[in-house]
Amino acid sequence: MAEITQHDGTWTFDGETVRIVPGQGRGVHPVRRELGELAVPLRAVAGISFEPHRKGGRLRLRLRDGACPVLRAADGRLKDAADPYQLAVEKDRGGVAEYFVEEVRNALLLEQVPSGPADGFLLPGPSVPVAGGGGDGTASFDGETVRLTWNWKAEEVKSSGGPVAFPVSEVTGVHWMPSIGLANGHLRFVRGVAGLSSAPAPAAEYDPYALDLWGLSKKEYTAVLVAAAVLVRLPNAMAPDTDGPGTTAIPGATAAASGTAIGATTTAGAVGAGPDGGGATEGARLSKAPATPPATAPGPTAAAPAPAPAPDAPPAAGDHDVLLRRLRELGELHRSGVLTEDEFTAAKQAVLKRL
C-alpha cells in the first residue's frame, strides 16, 4: 500500500487501483471538488511521474487516451489546478511521492498494462445528477434529461424562450470549450439531425442549446463535468473525432458541434502528452470576435457570425461598444459580489487593453 496526503487531496494505491480523494479546502479547484472521489483501475493507467521543483513538486498520473470521459470531454483544455490526475506535493514530501511513483510503475510492469489508447471508457464518469456552468446560465443532467436554465445575463433570444430541456437520446454530440483570454467559451449540445447539417451553429450567446461561458469564475469549468456525464451515455462516444479538436459526436456529425462552428480558430493539444506527462494539458488557443446577433430567431442551423478580425487590428466601432458593455457587466458583477477585487481588476485590465 502506498499513500500520500496533501492539501490538494489524498492518493492511495493498493496494487490494483489508484484511489484519488480531492481536498475540501477553498484552494481546491471546483472541478475536482465536484467530481469527488475517483477509483482508477491499473488497466486505465499509462504512466506516472513526479516533477520536483524548488517549492515542492507535482505528481502526475497519465491515463490511457480515451479511458476517462472527463479528459475526453476536456480534450486537453483543463488547467493543471482543475486536473484531477495531478497532485501538488509539498517540499518535505518529495520522497513519499517518489515512492508512490515507483510502486505504480512496478505494478504496470508486472501486469504488462498497455500504454496505448483504450477501446472504451474505463472510468464511469461524473455521477448524476450533475450541474455546472456560469456565464449566461446553468446546465444540469440527471442521467436522462439535459436542462439549460438562463440567468439575467442571457441574451433575450434565450431568456424569452425560458429554460430548455431535452432527453439525452436526442443528443448526438457535445462540445466544451473554456474561455481563453477575451474569447468566451461554451458548452454546446448537438441534437438529432442538427448534428448532420452542413450549416454552422450560431454563436453560443444566441444558441438555445448552448451555454456562453465568460471565464469570470473557476466554477464555470464545472460545465465540463456535465459534458462528460452526457458523453458516456452517447452511442459510439469513442468513435474517431472527425469534427475537429474538442468535438465529441457520433460519426457523421459535422462542424455544427465543433469549435469552428462559432467563428473560432482552435488548436488543441493531446491529452496526456509526453511519456510520463500529466492527465491533461492546456493545448487550446482561441481567437474570436464578438458575435453579431442573428437577424432571425436562432436555432441549431442558424447562420454563423461574421469572421473574426485580425488579432492585431484596432477594434471596430461595434467591437468598441461590446468592450464597453463588458466593462459595465464586470462592474455589476463586482458590485454584486460575484467577482473578487483581484478577479475584477484582472478582467478589467484585459478588456482595457483591447480599447
Side-chain angles (χ1 to χ4, degrees):
M1 171 74 76
E3 180 175 342
I4 180 169
T5 299
Q6 297 291 275
H7 172 77
D8 273 359
T10 299
W11 288 19
T12 58
F13 178 59
D14 60 6
E16 297 180 351
T17 303
V18 178
R19 192 168 300 277
I20 299 173
V21 180
Q24 295 300 316
R26 292 188 60 184
V28 178
H29 199 283
V31 167
R32 299 175 59 194
R33 287 204 307 267
E34 296 296 329
L35 185 57
E37 182 176 333
L38 295 172
V40 183
L42 188 64
R43 63 195 178 99
V45 178
I48 186 171
S49 65
F50 173 61
E51 303 168 0
H53 54 71
R54 186 171 57 86
K55 294 184 178 181
R58 186 169 295 274
L59 197 58
R60 295 179 185 266
L61 188 68
R62 183 169 63 90
L63 270 58
R64 296 170 62 190
D65 191 21
C68 173
V70 174
L71 296 185
R72 171 74 172 171
D75 195 31
R77 299 183 179 95
L78 279 182
K79 294 182 177 180
D80 284 352
D83 185 353
Y85 304 109
Q86 297 190 32
L87 182 71
V89 178
E90 298 169 6
K91 188 174 183 179
D92 62 347
R93 304 294 285 175
V96 178
E98 290 173 350
Y99 173 74
F100 194 98
V101 168
E102 183 179 355
E103 288 293 294
V104 175
R105 284 180 176 171
N106 288 340
L108 290 172
L109 288 173
L110 288 173
E111 298 297 330
Q112 296 184 341
V113 176
S115 60
D119 293 333
F121 293 130
L122 301 179
L123 280 84
S127 59
V128 293
V130 61
D136 65 355
T138 300
S140 61
F141 179 56
D142 61 7
E144 296 181 355
T145 304
V146 178
R147 290 181 174 82
L148 302 177
T149 56
W150 316 117
N151 58 34
W152 62 272
K153 300 187 289 291
E155 295 289 338
E156 184 178 359
V157 71
K158 286 183 173 182
S159 59
S160 61
V164 176
F166 45 90
V168 70
S169 59
E170 294 182 1
V171 179
T172 56
V174 58
H175 181 254
W176 173 77
M177 171 74 75
S179 172
I180 301 176
L182 288 178
N184 289 2
H186 62 263
L187 172 63
R188 187 190 303 278
F189 298 94
V190 183
R191 300 170 59 247
V193 295
L196 304 178
S197 170
S198 60
E205 58 191 302
Y206 304 113
D207 187 347
Y209 304 124
L211 293 184
D212 188 31
L213 304 177
W214 295 7
L216 300 178
S217 169
K218 291 180 181 179
K219 198 166 180 63
E220 285 192 9
Y221 269 75
T222 56
V224 74
L225 302 181
V226 181
V230 171
L231 174 60
V232 296
R233 291 163 174 82
L234 297 186
N236 301 318
M238 290 303 298
D241 183 2
T242 60
D243 302 323
T247 305
T248 304
I250 63 172
T254 66
S258 73
T260 56
I262 57 170
T265 301
T266 309
T267 303
V271 174
D276 284 308
T281 57
E282 186 178 359
R285 294 294 181 269
L286 180 68
S287 176
K288 178 175 75 73
T292 302
T296 58
T301 60
D312 294 329
D319 292 347
H320 191 273
D321 292 341
V322 170
L323 294 175
L324 290 177
R325 185 180 69 177
R326 173 60 68 89
L327 283 175
R328 289 194 294 270
E329 291 168 346
L330 290 174
E332 293 173 358
L333 292 172
H334 180 234
R335 287 191 293 273
S336 62
V338 175
L339 293 180
T340 65
E341 184 66 32
D342 290 343
E343 291 172 334
F344 171 67
T345 300
K348 182 177 68 174
Q349 289 176 348
V351 175
L352 291 175
K353 289 181 180 179
R354 293 285 305 274
L355 287 174

